[in-house]
Amino acid sequence: MISQDSALPETAAARLPQERRVVTEIPGPNSRALQERRKAAVPPGVGSVLPVQVTDADGGVVVDADGNSFIDFGSGIAVTNVGNANPRVVERVKAQVERFTHTCFMVAPYEGYIAVCENLNRITPGDHEKRSMLVSSGAEAVENAVKIARYATGRQAVAVFDHGYHGRTLLTMTLTAKNMPYKHGFGPYAPEVYRMPLAYPYRWPSGPENCGPEAAAQAVDQITKQIGPENLAAVLVEPIQGEGGFIEPAPGFLPALAEFCRTSGALFIADEVQTGFARTGDLFACEHEGIVPDLITTAKGIAGGLPLAAVTGRAEIMDAVHGGGLGGTYGGNPLACEAALAVLAEIEEHDLAARARRIGGVMLPRLRALAERFPAIGDVRGRGAMIAIELVQPGTKEPDPGLTAEIARRCHARGLLALTAGTYGNVLRFLPPLVIPEHLLNEGLDVIEEAFAA
């Protein structure tokens, strides 16, 4: 339900002026000079979206080396949900860095790690007893979830879905659907991973009204024929796909998969790396349809920009693994743990889930009105502050990645940081910080309208 607040409530006062300001061409001279240094030091395989060099960021803005101030509709890919350099995060990290920066939790443990796990066990879906482990990245969390599922079930097969994205390591690259740029040339891939159809409402052949039950029936049928339920360790799925194009599976699809897992003895793993921590208007996206996963992976928005990720799951599943079978040198770094505790406090104290719903309540009507004017917008979708538009050749559903890239470029030139996504490269995705001032949110939408009108 959309928050009835007339405007986004304020959190901490912003340190930087919350304004869009374009004072040079994009990129400006200082950013171009730094780009030349980058070319000599960083391989081209490490890409970037915005062709500038950032010097500061706060609230809803990102500032570059030439003094341009961009409205932030990216949040570092759903990381800075509570705003960049959030004061509460900064305060806790500063205090911790003066005490100690690392011991390795597997060598000499500390309270921060335990406190983060206690909080995750409390706030993730389900009232059953849980355990959590901490790692450093979303891919690492997904890998550990698969390890745990295989160990706990004694099975090996994992079912994943079309358009899914789970990371760039060998296993998570295998789990990911999209070849270019994530998989191309990097094989061979890990075994015992099987890909199933996703309930993609906009592109489902018999229409969105049939999508959920038909896609679920197809997935269950393929698992039964290709794998055998007795061999299935886990079904791994994003409750709303991220890199795949912010595809929200049709209603009923995820509950049907969860029920199939329950009856077959497989585990349901919710990959909430991008959707977690109030981004979608619920604390976790799987709550929207009342799904209680056996394992849930989190990262990105968990620690305000510091590297931290987690696997949380049913106690009997998490406890199944032998001593020493889980861990990692940097997992649950003390600085990142303090940042996470600050982020969780901000989310709860300021009800950032309601703020996300309000953001969606502002963005979706304006983008749908834009779609009425521009037939290249084939679909407007999303939940909370996780919104996307899919661009196509007018009158068809043929993807238009060229127009998508051009609209993103026009947004950048006008001072709006916007991201692209999608299997076909034809989706503009919007992930504003949950603390973005409403005037910036509306101004960012104005820029998108200008980009299309141009």
Side-chain angles (χ1 to χ4, degrees):
M1 186 171 116
I2 300 297
S3 170
Q4 297 305 307
D5 296 341
S6 60
L8 298 174
E10 293 299 323
T11 56
R15 176 176 52 82
L16 295 178
Q18 298 296 289
E19 63 182 14
R20 177 171 63 104
R21 185 177 64 250
V22 180
V23 296
T24 71
E25 61 179 339
I26 305 299
N30 292 329
S31 283
R32 290 198 300 270
L34 287 165
Q35 179 67 11
E36 290 305 309
R37 289 174 55 191
R38 170 190 168 136
K39 288 178 182 178
V42 182
V46 182
S48 296
V49 173
L50 191 64
V52 302
Q53 304 294 322
V54 174
T55 58
D56 211 345
D58 174 43
V61 298
V62 173
V63 178
D64 75 3
D66 295 285
N68 299 297
S69 178
F70 297 82
I71 299 173
D72 185 4
F73 271 20
S75 298
I77 316 183
V79 169
T80 56
N81 291 2
V82 299
N84 224 305
N86 176 280
R88 192 178 224 152
V89 172
V90 170
E91 181 181 352
R92 290 199 70 137
V93 171
K94 278 183 175 178
Q96 178 59 44
V97 79
E98 292 177 347
R99 293 193 294 269
F100 62 93
T101 57
H102 176 77
T103 64
C104 181
F105 189 78
M106 297 182 301
V107 174
Y110 38 88
E111 184 181 5
Y113 186 116
I114 297 167
V116 171
C117 292
E118 289 171 338
N119 274 275
L120 291 172
N121 296 343
R122 173 178 61 85
I123 66 175
T124 48
D127 56 6
H128 52 276
E129 187 178 0
K130 302 170 197 161
R131 303 280 189 270
S132 292
M133 64 164 293
L134 304 182
V135 288
S136 300
S137 71
E140 197 178 354
V142 171
E143 291 227 5
N144 276 278
V146 171
K147 283 169 52 178
I148 293 164
R150 285 173 166 166
Y151 196 107
T153 63
R155 306 171 181 181
Q156 293 186 342
V158 179
V160 291
F161 294 87
D162 287 341
H163 313 289
Y165 177 84
H166 300 286
R168 294 176 181 260
T169 60
L170 176 61
L171 177 57
T172 58
M173 186 171 55
T174 307
L175 299 168
T176 290
K178 189 175 180 180
N179 175 55
M180 183 61 93
Y182 305 115
K183 303 173 73 166
H184 185 73
F186 297 139
Y189 304 111
E192 288 300 307
V193 173
Y194 300 83
R195 197 162 312 284
M196 303 299 148
L198 181 86
Y200 190 164
Y202 178 63
R203 296 190 174 274
W204 196 253
S206 61
E209 66 278 2
N210 301 313
C211 183
E214 288 183 2
Q218 286 188 23
V220 169
D221 181 60
Q222 289 189 31
I223 290 171
T224 302
K225 290 189 300 188
Q226 296 180 26
I227 303 171
E230 69 278 8
N231 299 314
L232 182 66
V235 168
L236 169 66
V237 65
E238 300 158 275
I240 299 176
Q241 290 189 324
E243 176 59 27
F246 284 21
I247 303 166
E248 184 176 356
F253 178 73
L254 296 177
L257 294 177
E259 176 61 19
F260 174 72
C261 287
R262 190 188 66 79
T263 58
S264 66
L267 303 185
F268 186 91
I269 305 174
D271 181 344
E272 295 246 16
V273 167
Q274 190 161 161
T275 53
F277 303 102
R279 171 56 56 182
T280 65
D282 292 295
L283 201 52
F284 299 96
C286 56
E287 294 179 282
H288 183 68
E289 290 191 273
I291 295 165
V292 177
D294 298 298
L295 297 170
I296 183 170
T297 61
T298 53
K300 288 190 182 291
I302 192 174
L306 276 74
L308 189 69
V311 183
T312 302
R314 296 182 181 277
E316 65 274 18
I317 296 169
M318 299 292 288
D319 288 348
V321 179
H322 57 273
L326 303 173
T329 300
Y330 292 107
N333 171 270
L335 304 180
C337 286
E338 291 301 311
L341 293 172
V343 165
L344 294 172
E346 286 285 290
I347 289 171
E348 293 187 317
E349 182 177 317
H350 297 291
D351 194 2
L352 295 191
R355 290 174 68 100
R357 294 193 296 272
R358 171 63 186 172
I359 289 169
V362 171
M363 295 191 75
L364 285 170
R366 288 197 57 182
L367 292 173
R368 287 171 180 149
L370 192 66
E372 293 293 320
R373 295 170 50 201
F374 296 97
I377 300 176
D379 193 28
V380 176
R381 57 179 178 255
R383 208 160 68 226
M386 189 172 181
I387 306 295
I389 55 177
E390 182 165 354
L391 303 186
V392 294
Q393 299 287 345
T396 76
K397 292 189 178 181
E398 182 67 26
D400 196 337
L403 176 61
T404 307
E406 175 61 18
I407 294 294
R409 188 197 63 77
R410 293 177 187 178
C411 288
H412 300 161
R414 289 168 168 79
L416 174 67
L417 197 170
L419 307 177
T420 61
T423 298
Y424 312 108
N426 68 322
V427 174
L428 287 166
R429 56 174 164 171
F430 308 120
L431 293 159
L434 305 186
V435 297
I436 189 171
E438 190 151 337
H439 75 274
L440 280 187
L441 184 64
N442 278 297
E443 189 173 351
L445 291 165
D446 292 341
V447 171
I448 294 168
E449 290 190 23
E450 293 168 6
F452 275 95

